[in-house]
Amino acid sequence: MLMGYTAMAQKPRALKVVFEYDARPNQADTVFHDINTQITTADFTGRPSRSGPSEAVSFTSFSYEGGSRQTPDSLIVTLYLQVFMVKGSSRIRGSLSLSHTPEHEQLHFDITRLVGERFRQKVLSMPLTIDDYDGRIQYEYRNLSAK
């Protein structure tokens, strides 16, 4: 018999989900949503389409990353919500001096943030268990991101 050996680690009894907004800085190809910063014409690096009805297109989306850690009685799952715009897929056609165009596209970016917030609220209100939390969170993400 080994001294100091404890029986198999106990399975945690409680699950806690914590959400944080991913506050990473913008990258060469990606703009991350920041409520204090507006997108500009410089954020649209995609090649403009010569045909089609849209003066501008912003490719916005949201995702999440996460991890977990176990305490003696709980599993704490931390999820980082990312709301972003892909610069190379976002484009403006015509005059770059149209000030209303980036403002209009900012509204689309803000709506994407609201969809991400809806996902966060949905996950936090779900009755999750340690045995099924990951699959249920992924299901909600796929359900909202497909809309």
Side-chain angles (χ1 to χ4, degrees), residues 47 69 94 110 113 123:
R47 185 175 184 173
R69 67 180 172 87
D110 294 343
R113 169 75 182 242
V123 169

Side-chain angles (χ1 to χ4, degrees), residues 39 44 56-60 85 89-91 105-106 108-109:
I39 55 176
F44 295 82
V57 174
S58 56
F59 183 88
T60 63
M85 182 178 92
S89 297
S90 302
R91 57 192 183 271
E105 296 306 312
Q106 180 69 47
H108 292 282
F109 203 12

Side-chain angles (χ1 to χ4, degrees), residues 12-76:
R13 293 178 297 224
L15 174 72
K16 180 178 181 179
V17 177
V18 177
F19 261 95
E20 295 183 17
Y21 277 99
D22 193 333
R24 74 178 71 190
N26 293 337
Q27 299 172 354
D29 62 347
T30 309
V31 176
F32 291 92
H33 193 279
D34 180 344
I35 59 173
N36 299 313
T37 306
Q38 301 288 308
I39 55 176
T40 67
T41 55
D43 295 322
F44 295 82
T45 62
R47 185 175 184 173
S49 171
R50 292 183 184 210
S51 62
S54 300
E55 183 67 27
V57 174
S58 56
F59 183 88
T60 63
S61 191
F62 78 98
S63 64
Y64 72 95
E65 293 179 353
S68 63
R69 67 180 172 87
Q70 186 171 335
T71 66
D73 63 345
S74 300
L75 180 65
I76 301 170

